[in-house]
Amino acid sequence: MRGRPQKKTFSLILIFTMIFSLFNPFLENTSRAAATITVAEAIANNSGSATVEGYIVGVTNNGPKYQHSGPFTVTTNIAIADSADETDATKILPVQLPTGSIRTALNLADHPENLGKKITISGTLAAYFAVPGLKSPTSYSFVEDTDPDKVQAVTASPGGGAVFKGTKVELATATKDAEIYFTLDGSEPAKFSTLYTEPIEINAPVTIKAIAVKAGLTDSEVTEYDYIIQQEDTIRIHDIQGAGHYSPYADQKVAGIEGIVTYVVDGSNFYMQDRQPDDDPNTSEGILVYKKSHNVKVGDVVKASGQVKEWVLEGYAEKLQTDLPVTEINATNIQMIESNQELPAPVVIGADRMPPFEVIDNDGFTSFDPEEDGVDFFESLEGMLVRINNPKVVAPQKYGEIIVVPENIPTNTKAGGLRITETDFNPERMTIDINDQSFVAKMGDRFNGSIQGVVSYGYSNYKILSDKEKLPPLVHGANERETTAIVPEDEKLTIASYNVENFSTKTDDSKVTRLAEAIVTNMKQPDIIGLTEVQDNDGPTDSGTTDASQSAAKLIAKIVSLGGPTYVYTDIAPVDKLDGGQPGGNIRVGFLYNPERVSLMDGIKGSPTEAVGYENGKLTLNPGRIDPANSAFNSSRKPLAAQFEFKGENVIVVANHFNSKGGDLPLFGKTQPPVLNSEKQRMEISAAVNNFVKDIQSKDPNANIVLLGDFNDFEFSNPLKALKGQELTNMIEKVSAEERYTYNYQGNAQVLDHILVSNNLAASTEVDIVHINSGFMEEHGRASDHDPVLIQTILKDPVKPEEPKYDKVYDLVNFEAKKLVIGQDNTLIIMDKTSTITEGIWLKKSATLKGEGLKKTRVVISSAQKGTVVDLTGTEIKEVLIETNKVKEIRGAENIMLWTLDKKADPSSIKFTNSKGEEIPSPFAPKENHSPLLRLSL
């Protein structure tokens, strides 16, 4: 399989693993425990896979709070401990019992006699009920307590189940020099039964009962192992896959499993699919087969014999702890049946089966419901041939993967992407792995035709393996890189946040140019730019250098050459290798500011270890770092505060780059719901920065404060809520939903970059996200993996305009009439929601209308006076009918639900403006997809 690093952090271990995997893509799976561990050990080191031994002490419902005595009603879990009478919750391990044979055998509701019994159980150590637990068990056995005066029980290898004819079973006991006696006829073994001297050959269904004896010791308990002979064609692929994430045949040998080859991965791996499917959509008909030098091709019908394995494929260094396995047959033999056969019809996703649109998992793997859970949906198709009709591309190609949805599944960004929400991380996304990083595609493109492939898994995500050569034509969408809608104004301050992605003097000239072009043209030369991921002067070279002045100078020079201002750069260099990021790069936050527009207020520049404060209206250091000794900032960037002067007013701007989301468990991983391990540090950082804001506001409630940067979390996340508190407004929340994203990860458009302002600035501040990077590839002009964010604000209170004076005012409360005709000039009509005018209001001259009652009222502009101005600012009106050609201007025209035009009226000379006073297109102008409804009155 192919490896593609997908994290922003760098790991030498990961790089080594990836290089090695090129030579041996299926490394020895180390996810299975080599020895049994105690419950205490499982709690202390709750990761990876293990076999745990303990006593069943009860069940849990929540918290967890444990029930230690019957009657029991819970079947989905048990709780185990190192002592049979343990009641201390901190010493108890909750164990998940997924649907199947293990739940049937162990649950206390059906088997209260299991309480107090000792078992060993193998599974995944992971958080369960928010505490250390064991999930997805694959096997178990009841254990006798070791008695030094008693012979230990007989074990068998293989330990029962389906075996091939001729299989030899070995019996053993841990008691040295003990003799083993066995029977094959169902009778109880004793000292006069057959003495075990060599492996027992199984040629027919049989039950082996065995006992171990030794002089001077009590005989062991009788153990029993049932064997059946597996015949060819009695087990099919859907039986092996089962209705779940783990095969009921895991680690068992199977023979003659027939399928047609649907996809060849490489010389050692291929997928095959059963041509005789069952009627259960929950059981996949496809499976991965591993056999070196298999020499099969698509269309071959083969029979595979070997061992069923749950195998973790390509992934990050921690994949055994985080990723779901893929069911495979580790084949010892491949038998060719026939070739060049027609492939089975693929499952058409979006037609034959519809993926869940919101839920990835809502039951912690306790039930398998593909119609509800996205992770179960794709598992039910694992290894199968699928098709996606006319896919829409929702993210730029990366690592040779194209993320799409079928044509009939809606997207939710203006550019054609999929944006996350607090409750929806888009399980309908499908990753097409074509293994070609040169393929050019962006958000909003689409394919004219269907894509076909097989469902696999790797790098913590389900994916569909397909061939680039078989892709249908790509149709380029209308999505284009944007220019900010914020227009520079002399009296308004413009501030931007931009992650420049590991920028240094080593950055190639083409990227430098793209970054500078974005600042000069797309961002329209903001007055202050908070930069993140600025590296030191020699970039990733680990020389001990921390100064970044040359890196900044390179970007400034390019900006000047493109016609931009000569920005000034300021930062505080970190202590070498203490702030995280690319080794040797010493990334930090810093500021570019235009000295022709703003100035850095006088002050002493802080050192990397000095903490900035606020006294007498000024920062004690300028710039200065916030609480750099706080452990919250370990291996992460320290926020940088700087105080600027603009038009006689000052503003404190804080640049941030919170710790990354590295360490969070994946959306489609083996632990559900995913544990956000990195969030704890961001919560601590948020508290530190929010406390800094509170301290300033306690001394100056009217202080102008702006926080910006890459916060590595979403607007609805706990860290951003804690950062915002009651003191700040996150301007990102003011951006329309379809535009609200700055970053794209695995096809999910999301916000990581934010600008927050003190509440006193919120009303006079506007915001814009400039989509120039996250939806595009470098071939489209992308310069970074983040989109910049801009705000424009007024630091001093604007002069309030005089209230207009009216010649006549109608204040309509509980007013009822059939028709109201307004003949006076310069009239104000206020209609509250208790009033009703059934036929409408007729305006003969200029007038202003306000009030909630207009939502259900018709307004007829029937002016007899030339130059009539009608002001509807901020008012929603049911219908506006224009009857004459005397109208000069209609203000606040964006809020009208229905426009109607009399045949005698000509709207071409009317000026239409919105509630901000900006001219907007006439609602009667010919164009596609009018927002308001229009009709012609004949």
Side-chain angles (χ1 to χ4, degrees), residues 13 46 70 85 163 303 401 403 437 440-441 453 491 496 581 663 675 716 730 771 796 866 881:
I13 296 174
N46 198 237
D85 57 359
V163 297
K303 290 186 176 181
E401 296 174 346
I403 302 174
Q437 298 192 45
V440 178
E491 296 298 317
V675 179
F716 49 77
N730 189 351
H771 297 301
K796 54 187 176 182
K866 193 173 182 180
L881 166 62

Side-chain angles (χ1 to χ4, degrees), residues 753-764:
D753 307 83
H754 304 259
I755 299 183
L756 298 87
V757 301
S758 47
N759 292 333
N760 60 309
L761 292 177
S764 60

Side-chain angles (χ1 to χ4, degrees), residues 498 500 503-504 519 527-537 546-557 559 565-574 585-595 600 605 622-623 640 642 644 655:
Y498 199 8
V500 291
F503 181 84
S504 75
I519 292 170
D527 301 316
I528 301 170
I529 307 172
L531 300 178
T532 57
E533 291 198 23
V534 177
Q535 293 190 338
D536 60 38
N537 290 335
T546 60
D547 179 69
S549 58
Q550 295 174 24
S551 297
K554 183 173 184 177
L555 179 58
I556 292 169
I559 291 170
T566 304
Y567 283 102
V568 176
Y569 177 74
T570 186
D571 72 6
I572 294 177
N586 287 310
I587 58 172
R588 84 289 310 280
V589 294
F591 295 102
L592 292 176
Y593 62 94
N594 182 354
L600 185 67
K605 181 176 181 178
N622 197 24
L640 183 69
F644 297 93

Side-chain angles (χ1 to χ4, degrees), residues 19-48:
I19 294 172
F20 186 57
S21 69
L22 297 175
F23 300 96
N24 186 4
F26 284 83
L27 303 172
E28 179 180 349
N29 192 334
T30 58
S31 66
R32 303 192 181 276
T36 301
I37 63 174
T38 66
V39 170
E41 290 170 330
I43 292 172
N45 185 19
N46 198 237
S47 63

Side-chain angles (χ1 to χ4, degrees), residues 197 423 684 907 915:
T197 57
T423 59
E684 294 171 352
S915 296

Side-chain angles (χ1 to χ4, degrees), residues 24 122 227 263 265-266 346 422 583 609 619 821 841 862 911 918:
N24 186 4
S122 301
Y227 298 89
Y263 190 86
V265 180
D266 53 34
E422 188 167 7
T609 58
L619 294 178
V821 179
I841 301 172
S862 184
K911 178 182 179 182
E918 302 163 338

